[in-house]
Amino acid sequence: MTEHVVAPEPIEPLPEDWERGLVIAAHPDDVEYGAAAAIARWTGQGKTIVYCMVTSGEAGIDAMPPEQTGPLREKEEREAARVVGVDEVEFLGYPDGVVEYGLPLRRDLARVIRRHRPNIVITGNFRETFGGVMLNQADHIAVGRAVLDAARDAGNRWVFRELLDEGHEPWNKVRAIWAGGSPEARHGVDTTATFQLGVQSLEAHAGYLGALEGHPEPAEFLEGLARADGTRLGTRFATSFEVYPLMLF
């Protein structure tokens, strides 16, 4: 009997006719698990991209106290960003591991969006799983949900009126939110030419990765993800995203 093999569902290429992007992630290193190679492609095209980390990842190393881990991970994230052409990295200082979805987070993210005025907001997967039974982490879910709302809050002058008092005028020009690593991704970008930069970006987290027992080599781990997405896009390597459009006309 011949086994029937189901081909992976194709994904569509993302538009690249934009100039400014804002990446909002829960932790240092979240961006580096695939999206960094896409960031390198876009900065190479001359786009301006800023990183905003909601936490400093200070609860991420069991053998190191948070007051030491946080500064280490901030330093490594800044280097990881530099590798892919990102000069500005912000840390909001929320407590790692216990980020709560709610009005304070929405307001802080709306403020960030108003300040940087991006065309595209990029975040990570915030669905309950990464596909199947591989559970997502609570901070990822809380941050992603808040990003969706904050991108709309940023354009409404009557939501979080205190932002106006701070001098942050509304920004309603976010075209879409792109969530990397989502099991529901239907779009992607060719990262064949920038794959190695993505690997180097993850390797910049040497202190963090070295503390994770059994973590695979960055190149090996990322290649598996990039090849799978590339197969769907019709390229050697790719990074996939779930698209949430905000401007429909």
Side-chain angles (χ1 to χ4, degrees):
M1 180 181 295
T2 302
E3 183 178 353
H4 180 65
V5 178
V6 178
E9 181 182 0
I11 54 179
E12 298 294 324
L14 287 167
E16 295 184 317
D17 58 338
W18 50 277
E19 297 179 357
R20 297 185 61 83
L22 172 64
V23 176
I24 301 176
H27 314 107
D29 88 306
D30 285 353
V31 184
E32 283 67 59
Y33 283 95
I39 303 299
R41 172 187 172 97
W42 293 324
T43 59
Q45 295 171 346
K47 303 184 194 309
T48 299
I49 297 181
V50 174
Y51 284 3
C52 174
M53 303 290 129
V54 173
T55 81
S56 295
E58 69 276 6
I61 299 178
D62 183 69
M64 184 181 292
E67 55 269 21
Q68 295 179 23
T69 301
L72 168 68
R73 299 199 67 193
E74 287 187 7
K75 179 181 178 182
E76 291 185 339
E77 181 57 39
R78 289 191 175 95
E79 174 59 20
R82 185 198 63 78
V83 168
V84 295
V86 174
D87 298 324
E88 187 172 354
V89 183
E90 298 182 2
F91 297 89
L92 297 186
Y94 277 71
D96 184 19
V98 290
V99 176
E100 293 182 293
Y101 169 86
L103 296 179
L105 182 57
R106 280 173 53 187
R107 180 179 58 245
D108 287 347
L109 295 183
R111 180 187 293 110
V112 171
I113 292 168
R114 289 191 185 192
R115 282 198 293 108
H116 293 291
R117 308 176 90 73
N119 310 117
I120 300 293
V121 174
I122 299 159
T123 191
N125 171 40
F126 54 92
R127 292 185 175 271
E128 291 186 354
T129 75
F130 285 98
V133 296
M134 186 177 178
L135 289 174
N136 203 346
Q137 198 264 356
D139 287 356
H140 300 160
I141 296 171
V143 169
R145 288 182 57 207
V147 167
L148 282 184
D149 291 330
R152 291 171 291 183
D153 297 335
N156 189 332
R157 72 174 55 253
W158 306 123
V159 175
F160 303 128
R161 298 188 194 183
E162 60 270 36
L163 297 181
L164 290 175
D165 296 334
E166 296 172 9
H168 302 301
E169 289 296 317
W171 178 250
N172 61 2
K173 299 289 200 269
V174 176
R175 289 168 48 179
I177 298 163
W178 296 348
S182 169
E184 299 298 324
R186 299 290 183 270
H187 293 77
V189 58
D190 182 0
T191 55
T192 304
T194 54
F195 173 76
Q196 288 301 326
L197 287 173
V199 172
Q200 292 172 31
S201 189
L202 181 56
E203 289 174 340
H205 295 278
Y208 174 63
L209 297 182
L212 301 180
E213 184 176 354
H215 191 284
E217 289 296 318
E220 175 186 350
F221 183 81
L222 292 177
E223 183 171 342
L225 298 175
R227 283 192 182 279
D229 285 338
T231 297
R232 297 178 66 193
L233 187 63
T235 61
R236 182 183 180 194
F237 295 136
T239 299
S240 63
F241 294 86
E242 183 173 4
V243 172
Y244 297 85
L246 295 185
M247 297 179 66
L248 301 180
F249 49 85

